[in-house]
Amino acid sequence: MKFYYVFFYSNRSKYNLIRMEQEKIDELYEIIKGASSIVVFTGAGISTGSGIPDFRGANGIFLDKEHKYEIPPEEIVSHSFFYSHPHEFYDFYKTKMCFRDAKPNAAHRYFANLEKKGKNVTVVTQNIDGLHSEAGSSRVYELHGSIHRNYCEECHHFFDLDYVLDQDGIPKCNRCGGVIKPDVVLYEEGLDPDITNRAVSAIMTCDVMIIIGTSLKVYPAASYVRYFRGHHLVLINKEPTPYDSICNLTIYDDIIKVVEALNEKENNLL
């Protein structure tokens, strides 16, 4: 004998869920509308909509199920590995961390547009993809550097991403022949103190901080949340984080869906 189980999802429960989500969107809209200065603190989750995988998600760079790495990715992108095994470093770096064709998505553009509308917006990002700047945000503090900046270790001449990706193997300087190093913070390297000081200052003086697409588990960047002294701390992420309890508003959803809902609300009010 076969048994069939039928589950009914009540319209009332669905209505309450939709209402709760809309209430959070409404609250976020009012927070942004009333803010005098906003810091947007972003991680890899804001760029997945641009085709860039995150690091530790189900399909993340460090958990790629299709590739069984003999050496842990965290070791490959370390300072010591770059100097001891530059060929292997660049094989991984070029194929797994550089996305030449990636473009800003709706979330990047949303915060750039807030600035264009007159809002005081500072972006503090853990990402190295450069998409916030490409979207039009003018004040972006890249804690972990950028794939778009590369320097010869000998003569310090600058090279863009295309030059690095178009070179076979280890990219070399076309002036002196020196090895080119990406201006990204590798494991075992410290963050740029000037960038971190500017980021911390922005966080300490803003009245709204919106955390987006980050697990808040990578230090020291994650600890910067503790410097916030403002009125509204907002988290938008698909999964809970260790800092959820200190947030005023948490939205567990994809950031692109959230900004689409914000845009729809604004359009309805016009």
Side-chain angles (χ1 to χ4, degrees), residues 88-196:
E88 290 83 353
F89 169 87
Y90 268 112
D91 284 344
F92 182 90
Y93 178 76
K94 290 180 181 181
T95 58
K96 297 297 181 183
M97 300 185 69
C98 297
F99 296 85
R100 178 165 27 197
D101 298 326
K103 298 298 179 185
N105 61 48
H108 298 106
R109 294 192 297 270
Y110 177 82
F111 293 104
N113 288 335
L114 277 183
E115 183 181 343
K116 292 176 183 176
K117 294 174 182 177
K119 284 292 182 183
N120 180 0
V121 180
T122 299
V123 176
V124 179
T125 184
Q126 300 172 81
N127 299 338
I128 61 175
D129 52 44
L131 295 181
H132 281 294
S133 295
E134 187 176 344
S137 292
S138 64
R139 189 162 55 249
V140 181
Y141 299 134
E142 297 168 315
L143 297 176
H144 297 155
S146 172
I147 60 173
H148 297 282
R149 298 190 299 269
N150 305 273
Y151 299 92
C152 172
E153 293 204 291
E154 297 296 328
C155 70
H156 308 293
H157 184 66
F158 168 84
F159 295 92
D160 62 15
L161 178 62
D162 287 337
Y163 184 90
V164 169
L165 295 182
D166 291 340
Q167 301 296 304
D168 292 331
I170 304 170
K172 299 289 184 68
C173 177
N174 58 8
R175 293 187 172 190
C176 71
V179 173
I180 295 172
K181 185 179 184 296
D183 185 22
V184 299
V185 179
L186 304 177
Y187 282 91
E188 304 168 350
E189 294 180 341
L191 304 185
D192 184 314
D194 180 58
I195 296 297
T196 57

